[in-house]
Amino acid sequence: MSDKSYDRQEESFRLLQALSGVDPELLQRSEKQAPERKKIIQFANKYGALCAACLLCVVLGSVYFGVLEKTKESGMNEAVPFSMDAVSGETQNGLQEGMVEEADEELPQDAGAFLVEAASAVDWMISADATRQEANSVDSSSVKNKLEKLTTQVCSGQEETQDGYAREFAFSKLEGCEEASGQDALGDGSLVYSWYRDGALVCYVRVLSLDSTSIEKLCEIGQVLAKDMEAQWLSKLPAADEAGLRHFALSIGDGTVAEYYGYLSQEEIRTLFE
Amino acid sequence: MLDTAIIDLYFARNEQAIAETQATYGKYCYQIAWNVLRDSEDSDECVNDTWFRAWNSIPPTRPARLSVYLGTITRNLSLDRWKSRKAARRNNGEIPVVLDEIAEVIPDKSSVEDEVEAARLEELINRFLHELPEKDCNVFLRRYWYLEEYGEIAKRYHMNLNTVKSSIHRTRGKLREYLEKEGVTI
């Protein structure tokens, strides 16, 4: 140890000795132990940062998936404006392709009326066949919402219009099915037919009258299928969903459109509309 | 037993006073001696010397706080013993470390003995400690009065070890400034 270092230690030692004269009160005070912090505070001090990071991840994850869900939903709303696609869950044969763009095009007022009616028809059918609806996974209310949304776009605030009374339509007989004759069940002039097999409802067809211009326009944009002699419309039918439910609108001639909603096979549908 | 009762025994010259003191403050005094000396035999001797000093000084002295009174005696005895041993080696107790640390307070080219009397220094240190925040003061005293290790202080006050170290470092700096401001150049 050098002299200088030794001297400094000596001086330090004196200072240390001088500390012996410290006020006893201060010494007494320093004797007190600090109260033990609550365990929760200790835990927070130890793992606080980790907990905060986890919480942040959860919040960010929720926000992310929330936004993703929202985006998906809105994307679906925009991409599938009409019920057929929503019911089938698929886009087939280009029927719905370009619907969004085309739906924004100016449509005849009668087309808007049709869509309003279509929405109310779906609503009615949904409530009438509640049991069957539970069995399948179709979100019918969203179908209805989409119809109403599109209808609003098309009608542009116009009052709902009706297009006169639908004519009776003679459907071909379906084997093993019992047909209930057309009724103006909705009170809007359209006729609703229903078919039962072994007492269970298998389909509805709603027949309504529209002017030919509207029908042409709707056919052009793929909202309504046009019945032809070669039965090519059958190839354009939307696919049935997992529960076998299918929904489409078919122009059956003479300004009449049939809106189908049911569980029949493609062959049975062909027979029905022959 | 209460302090007053023990002191009364001293005043009555009852040797039971030493037994009671040992029972009540034996561990406390031993810890102070141990912190300085780090030797059980020396520490025991210091504690026994403390009881002897107390027996001789009470009466006439009537300490207001018996623990501090006894602790101060033990501390002084321990420091003297440490100094007399002249065997202060590194890792031999906290003294060398503490002295190194406290040397920061002392500017070069000066001497405590030359510049200031011990009483004056004590007074200044007391004033300084009273001005300190309670927590800093406590930590400082635990380190330089009781010569406790940083870890012990941290445990006592439920503080982070680094917080204790930085608190002590800050206080040393303040003390140096304070003493220089008061014209004490130790």
Side-chain angles (χ1 to χ4, degrees):
Chain A
M1 191 183 293
S2 68
D3 285 349
K4 191 179 174 185
S5 172
Y6 179 79
D7 287 346
R8 285 184 73 78
Q9 274 213 349
E10 278 289 301
E11 287 160 8
S12 304
F13 193 82
R14 284 175 193 277
L15 196 59
L16 210 55
Q17 281 182 316
L19 271 168
S20 292
V22 164
D23 189 346
E25 202 177 297
L26 296 177
L27 289 172
Q28 190 83 7
R29 192 177 66 181
S30 77
E31 281 292 310
K32 289 175 194 163
Q33 298 253 352
E36 187 135 0
R37 284 176 294 185
K38 286 181 179 173
K39 282 193 175 166
I40 184 83
I41 297 171
Q42 286 177 331
F43 181 85
N45 280 346
K46 210 168 182 179
Y47 302 109
L50 190 67
C51 291
C54 289
L55 196 66
L56 189 66
C57 285
V58 169
V59 170
L60 287 177
S62 309
V63 170
Y64 173 75
F65 285 110
V67 169
L68 200 68
E69 194 73 17
K70 203 102 178 169
T71 311
K72 268 186 187 173
E73 206 170 278
S74 66
M76 211 165 89
N77 282 342
E78 284 165 15
V80 191
F82 194 53
S83 57
M84 277 191 275
D85 207 17
V87 171
S88 67
E90 291 177 25
T91 303
Q92 278 211 339
N93 306 322
L95 187 66
Q96 285 83 26
E97 282 175 13
M99 273 185 184
V100 181
E101 294 78 14
E102 288 167 352
D104 287 338
E105 288 175 19
E106 197 178 334
L107 287 173
Q109 290 176 358
D110 289 336
F114 167 74
L115 293 169
V116 170
E117 287 166 359
S120 62
V122 171
D123 194 22
W124 179 79
M125 283 186 269
I126 287 163
S127 58
D129 194 14
T131 313
R132 216 173 240 285
Q133 193 183 333
E134 277 178 21
N136 67 60
S137 59
V138 177
D139 187 359
S140 302
S141 59
S142 74
V143 173
K144 186 194 162 209
N145 289 340
K146 283 161 194 157
L147 280 169
E148 283 176 344
K149 191 179 171 188
L150 185 64
T151 304
T152 312
Q153 283 178 5
V154 173
C155 289
S156 305
Q158 189 193 335
E159 290 291 320
E160 180 181 343
T161 56
Q162 293 193 359
D163 207 60
Y165 287 90
R167 282 182 288 276
E168 288 276 352
F169 186 80
F171 290 96
S172 301
K173 188 168 172 55
L174 281 177
E175 202 173 328
C177 286
E178 187 187 335
E179 179 190 339
S181 58
Q183 295 172 2
D184 185 8
L186 302 175
D188 60 356
S190 64
L191 297 171
V192 178
Y193 296 78
S194 47
W195 281 262
Y196 295 84
R197 182 177 282 150
D198 300 329
L201 193 64
V202 289
C203 74
Y204 296 104
V205 174
R206 181 181 179 224
V207 177
L208 62 159
S209 289
L210 289 176
D211 70 282
S212 54
T213 318
S214 300
I215 293 173
E216 276 173 27
K217 192 69 184 173
L218 288 164
C219 287
E220 275 175 26
I221 65 169
Q223 303 282 14
V224 172
L225 304 175
K227 191 182 171 195
D228 49 8
M229 294 300 286
E230 293 79 24
Q232 284 179 351
W233 62 276
L234 279 168
S235 65
K236 295 176 183 174
L237 279 181
D241 68 1
E242 287 173 0
L245 187 67
R246 204 191 303 259
H247 181 209
F248 62 89
L250 178 70
S251 167
I252 51 181
D254 296 333
T256 306
V257 171
E259 188 186 18
Y260 167 90
Y261 192 85
Y263 296 90
L264 296 179
S265 67
Q266 191 166 317
E267 190 55 35
E268 286 174 320
I269 291 169
R270 189 184 64 78
T271 309
L272 187 69
F273 288 102
E274 262 180 354
Chain B
M1 187 178 272
L2 289 172
D3 283 2
T4 48
I6 296 172
I7 292 167
D8 286 344
L9 288 174
Y10 277 106
F11 271 81
R13 306 315 291 162
N14 186 337
E15 288 183 6
Q16 183 63 23
I18 293 173
E20 292 295 339
T21 309
Q22 171 76 43
T24 311
Y25 296 112
K27 201 175 167 185
Y28 170 77
C29 290
Y30 181 87
Q31 186 63 53
I32 292 171
W34 171 261
N35 285 345
V36 177
L37 300 165
R38 297 284 156 152
D39 183 285
S40 57
E41 200 177 320
D42 283 353
S43 300
D44 278 334
E45 281 181 26
C46 276
V47 172
N48 288 331
D49 287 350
T50 302
W51 308 154
F52 181 70
R53 286 273 186 98
W55 179 257
N56 287 336
S57 58
I58 308 171
T61 310
R62 181 176 277 276
R65 290 180 177 83
L66 188 58
S67 61
V68 173
Y69 182 76
L70 296 170
T72 306
I73 294 172
T74 309
R75 184 177 185 270
N76 288 336
L77 287 172
S78 303
L79 289 174
D80 289 343
R81 184 173 285 263
W82 180 85
K83 197 178 180 185
S84 69
R85 275 200 317 211
K86 294 286 182 186
R89 296 189 300 268
R90 290 278 166 190
N91 305 320
N92 186 15
E94 285 294 294
I95 281 281
V97 186
V98 165
L99 290 180
D100 275 351
E101 288 172 1
I102 215 155
E104 290 174 20
V105 176
I106 305 164
D108 291 335
K109 299 175 186 177
S110 69
S111 144
V112 173
E113 204 167 8
D114 294 340
E115 299 290 335
V116 68
E117 291 177 358
R120 162 107 171 113
L121 192 57
E122 272 183 27
E123 187 194 331
L124 286 174
I125 288 173
N126 264 318
R127 210 186 298 162
F128 169 77
L129 291 175
H130 274 287
E131 286 173 11
L132 274 182
E134 183 176 337
K135 202 168 190 177
D136 290 343
C137 176
N138 289 345
V139 169
F140 188 82
L141 286 176
R142 295 317 296 188
R143 179 64 181 161
Y144 296 115
W145 201 94
Y146 291 95
L147 288 95
E148 282 182 356
E149 289 176 0
Y150 291 118
E152 287 177 74
I153 301 168
K155 199 173 168 188
R156 170 181 289 273
Y157 295 121
H158 306 296
M159 290 167 76
N160 185 292
L161 185 65
N162 289 330
T163 312
V164 171
K165 284 181 182 174
S166 63
S167 164
I168 289 172
H169 180 77
R170 272 200 314 272
T171 309
R172 278 204 308 264
K174 283 182 192 171
L175 178 60
R176 179 178 179 146
E177 279 176 23
Y178 181 82
L179 292 176
E180 283 178 350
K181 195 174 148 193
E182 292 294 325
V184 180
T185 51
I186 51 173

mmCIF file of all heavy atoms in Angstrom, chain A residues 253-271:
data_model
loop_
_atom_site.group_PDB
_atom_site.id
_atom_site.type_symbol
_atom_site.label_atom_id
_atom_site.label_comp_id
_atom_site.label_asym_id
_atom_site.label_seq_id
_atom_site.Cartn_x
_atom_site.Cartn_y
_atom_site.Cartn_z
ATOM 1 N N GLY A 253 -91.051 -16.603 -68.502
ATOM 2 C CA GLY A 253 -91.779 -16.114 -69.676
ATOM 3 C C GLY A 253 -93.008 -15.301 -69.329
ATOM 4 O O GLY A 253 -93.485 -15.321 -68.184
ATOM 5 N N ASP A 254 -93.433 -14.513 -70.286
ATOM 6 C CA ASP A 254 -94.624 -13.665 -70.136
ATOM 7 C C ASP A 254 -94.512 -12.715 -68.948
ATOM 8 O O ASP A 254 -95.471 -12.525 -68.202
ATOM 9 C CB ASP A 254 -95.891 -14.524 -69.987
ATOM 10 C CG ASP A 254 -96.144 -15.342 -71.243
ATOM 11 O OD1 ASP A 254 -95.706 -14.894 -72.329
ATOM 12 O OD2 ASP A 254 -96.740 -16.420 -71.116
ATOM 13 N N GLY A 255 -93.336 -12.152 -68.768
ATOM 14 C CA GLY A 255 -93.148 -11.186 -67.687
ATOM 15 C C GLY A 255 -93.297 -11.800 -66.304
ATOM 16 O O GLY A 255 -93.647 -11.118 -65.342
ATOM 17 N N THR A 256 -93.023 -13.050 -66.211
ATOM 18 C CA THR A 256 -93.153 -13.714 -64.910
ATOM 19 C C THR A 256 -91.790 -14.256 -64.447
ATOM 20 O O THR A 256 -91.050 -14.831 -65.242
ATOM 21 C CB THR A 256 -94.150 -14.887 -65.008
ATOM 22 O OG1 THR A 256 -95.365 -14.375 -65.553
ATOM 23 C CG2 THR A 256 -94.411 -15.494 -63.648
ATOM 24 N N VAL A 257 -91.540 -14.023 -63.215
ATOM 25 C CA VAL A 257 -90.294 -14.510 -62.622
ATOM 26 C C VAL A 257 -90.656 -15.441 -61.463
ATOM 27 O O VAL A 257 -91.538 -15.124 -60.660
ATOM 28 C CB VAL A 257 -89.410 -13.349 -62.114
ATOM 29 C CG1 VAL A 257 -88.231 -13.869 -61.300
ATOM 30 C CG2 VAL A 257 -88.908 -12.511 -63.274
ATOM 31 N N ALA A 258 -89.977 -16.571 -61.438
ATOM 32 C CA ALA A 258 -90.202 -17.502 -60.327
ATOM 33 C C ALA A 258 -88.958 -17.503 -59.442
ATOM 34 O O ALA A 258 -87.849 -17.729 -59.935
ATOM 35 C CB ALA A 258 -90.462 -18.905 -60.855
ATOM 36 N N GLU A 259 -89.188 -17.239 -58.212
ATOM 37 C CA GLU A 259 -88.060 -17.272 -57.276
ATOM 38 C C GLU A 259 -88.136 -18.581 -56.498
ATOM 39 O O GLU A 259 -89.110 -18.857 -55.800
ATOM 40 C CB GLU A 259 -88.108 -16.088 -56.321
ATOM 41 C CG GLU A 259 -86.853 -16.023 -55.486
ATOM 42 C CD GLU A 259 -86.922 -14.955 -54.418
ATOM 43 O OE1 GLU A 259 -88.036 -14.498 -54.105
ATOM 44 O OE2 GLU A 259 -85.865 -14.593 -53.889
ATOM 45 N N TYR A 260 -87.111 -19.358 -56.670
ATOM 46 C CA TYR A 260 -87.103 -20.698 -56.074
ATOM 47 C C TYR A 260 -86.240 -20.682 -54.801
ATOM 48 O O TYR A 260 -85.187 -20.051 -54.734
ATOM 49 C CB TYR A 260 -86.517 -21.693 -57.077
ATOM 50 C CG TYR A 260 -86.179 -23.038 -56.473
ATOM 51 C CD1 TYR A 260 -87.122 -24.063 -56.446
ATOM 52 C CD2 TYR A 260 -84.920 -23.275 -55.946
ATOM 53 C CE1 TYR A 260 -86.798 -25.302 -55.888
ATOM 54 C CE2 TYR A 260 -84.599 -24.500 -55.385
ATOM 55 C CZ TYR A 260 -85.539 -25.515 -55.342
ATOM 56 O OH TYR A 260 -85.213 -26.717 -54.782
ATOM 57 N N TYR A 261 -86.697 -21.449 -53.829
ATOM 58 C CA TYR A 261 -85.969 -21.548 -52.564
ATOM 59 C C TYR A 261 -86.262 -22.921 -51.998
ATOM 60 O O TYR A 261 -87.367 -23.178 -51.517
ATOM 61 C CB TYR A 261 -86.467 -20.460 -51.604
ATOM 62 C CG TYR A 261 -85.625 -20.261 -50.372
ATOM 63 C CD1 TYR A 261 -84.507 -19.425 -50.402
ATOM 64 C CD2 TYR A 261 -85.961 -20.872 -49.172
ATOM 65 C CE1 TYR A 261 -83.740 -19.227 -49.265
ATOM 66 C CE2 TYR A 261 -85.204 -20.677 -48.036
ATOM 67 C CZ TYR A 261 -84.089 -19.864 -48.086
ATOM 68 O OH TYR A 261 -83.336 -19.663 -46.951
ATOM 69 N N GLY A 262 -85.328 -23.868 -52.106
ATOM 70 C CA GLY A 262 -85.665 -25.196 -51.622
ATOM 71 C C GLY A 262 -84.548 -26.207 -51.729
ATOM 72 O O GLY A 262 -83.395 -25.867 -52.013
ATOM 73 N N TYR A 263 -84.968 -27.444 -51.558
ATOM 74 C CA TYR A 263 -83.994 -28.524 -51.413
ATOM 75 C C TYR A 263 -84.082 -29.557 -52.550
ATOM 76 O O TYR A 263 -83.574 -30.654 -52.411
ATOM 77 C CB TYR A 263 -84.229 -29.255 -50.079
ATOM 78 C CG TYR A 263 -84.005 -28.364 -48.883
ATOM 79 C CD1 TYR A 263 -85.044 -27.619 -48.351
ATOM 80 C CD2 TYR A 263 -82.749 -28.264 -48.293
ATOM 81 C CE1 TYR A 263 -84.843 -26.793 -47.265
ATOM 82 C CE2 TYR A 263 -82.547 -27.445 -47.199
ATOM 83 C CZ TYR A 263 -83.600 -26.708 -46.686
ATOM 84 O OH TYR A 263 -83.403 -25.895 -45.610
ATOM 85 N N LEU A 264 -84.701 -29.221 -53.620
ATOM 86 C CA LEU A 264 -84.851 -30.190 -54.714
ATOM 87 C C LEU A 264 -83.520 -30.390 -55.429
ATOM 88 O O LEU A 264 -82.668 -29.500 -55.460
ATOM 89 C CB LEU A 264 -85.891 -29.677 -55.724
ATOM 90 C CG LEU A 264 -87.331 -29.526 -55.215
ATOM 91 C CD1 LEU A 264 -88.219 -28.985 -56.327
ATOM 92 C CD2 LEU A 264 -87.882 -30.845 -54.679
ATOM 93 N N SER A 265 -83.424 -31.573 -56.054
ATOM 94 C CA SER A 265 -82.225 -31.838 -56.848
ATOM 95 C C SER A 265 -82.353 -31.100 -58.174
ATOM 96 O O SER A 265 -83.441 -30.619 -58.538
ATOM 97 C CB SER A 265 -82.092 -33.337 -57.097
ATOM 98 O OG SER A 265 -83.164 -33.757 -57.929
ATOM 99 N N GLN A 266 -81.271 -31.042 -58.920
ATOM 100 C CA GLN A 266 -81.266 -30.314 -60.190
ATOM 101 C C GLN A 266 -82.287 -30.937 -61.167
ATOM 102 O O GLN A 266 -82.987 -30.229 -61.883
ATOM 103 C CB GLN A 266 -79.851 -30.354 -60.791
ATOM 104 C CG GLN A 266 -79.702 -29.407 -61.956
ATOM 105 C CD GLN A 266 -78.241 -29.211 -62.321
ATOM 106 O OE1 GLN A 266 -77.415 -29.058 -61.443
ATOM 107 N NE2 GLN A 266 -77.952 -29.208 -63.598
ATOM 108 N N GLU A 267 -82.376 -32.253 -61.123
ATOM 109 C CA GLU A 267 -83.303 -32.964 -62.016
ATOM 110 C C GLU A 267 -84.749 -32.618 -61.663
ATOM 111 O O GLU A 267 -85.585 -32.377 -62.539
ATOM 112 C CB GLU A 267 -83.044 -34.469 -61.893
ATOM 113 C CG GLU A 267 -83.751 -35.327 -62.913
ATOM 114 C CD GLU A 267 -83.450 -34.907 -64.361
ATOM 115 O OE1 GLU A 267 -82.297 -34.467 -64.637
ATOM 116 O OE2 GLU A 267 -84.350 -34.990 -65.195
ATOM 117 N N GLU A 268 -84.999 -32.581 -60.370
ATOM 118 C CA GLU A 268 -86.357 -32.260 -59.915
ATOM 119 C C GLU A 268 -86.717 -30.819 -60.268
ATOM 120 O O GLU A 268 -87.854 -30.517 -60.625
ATOM 121 C CB GLU A 268 -86.454 -32.470 -58.402
ATOM 122 C CG GLU A 268 -86.499 -33.936 -57.997
ATOM 123 C CD GLU A 268 -86.456 -34.135 -56.478
ATOM 124 O OE1 GLU A 268 -85.685 -33.403 -55.810
ATOM 125 O OE2 GLU A 268 -87.176 -35.004 -55.972
ATOM 126 N N ILE A 269 -85.713 -29.945 -60.182
ATOM 127 C CA ILE A 269 -85.953 -28.544 -60.541
ATOM 128 C C ILE A 269 -86.315 -28.454 -62.030
ATOM 129 O O ILE A 269 -87.242 -27.736 -62.425
ATOM 130 C CB ILE A 269 -84.709 -27.689 -60.215
ATOM 131 C CG1 ILE A 269 -84.530 -27.589 -58.702
ATOM 132 C CG2 ILE A 269 -84.820 -26.304 -60.822
ATOM 133 C CD1 ILE A 269 -83.206 -26.995 -58.255
ATOM 134 N N ARG A 270 -85.554 -29.225 -62.820
ATOM 135 C CA ARG A 270 -85.832 -29.211 -64.261
ATOM 136 C C ARG A 270 -87.266 -29.675 -64.522
ATOM 137 O O ARG A 270 -88.018 -29.038 -65.259
ATOM 138 C CB ARG A 270 -84.850 -30.137 -64.985
ATOM 139 C CG ARG A 270 -84.898 -30.046 -66.492
ATOM 140 C CD ARG A 270 -83.976 -31.066 -67.124
ATOM 141 N NE ARG A 270 -84.394 -32.443 -66.825
ATOM 142 C CZ ARG A 270 -85.398 -33.072 -67.425
ATOM 143 N NH1 ARG A 270 -86.085 -32.461 -68.377
ATOM 144 N NH2 ARG A 270 -85.702 -34.289 -67.103
ATOM 145 N N THR A 271 -87.633 -30.731 -63.821
ATOM 146 C CA THR A 271 -88.993 -31.265 -63.984
ATOM 147 C C THR A 271 -90.033 -30.233 -63.560
ATOM 148 O O THR A 271 -91.043 -30.035 -64.234
ATOM 149 C CB THR A 271 -89.160 -32.538 -63.108
ATOM 150 O OG1 THR A 271 -88.077 -33.416 -63.390
ATOM 151 C CG2 THR A 271 -90.480 -33.223 -63.366
#
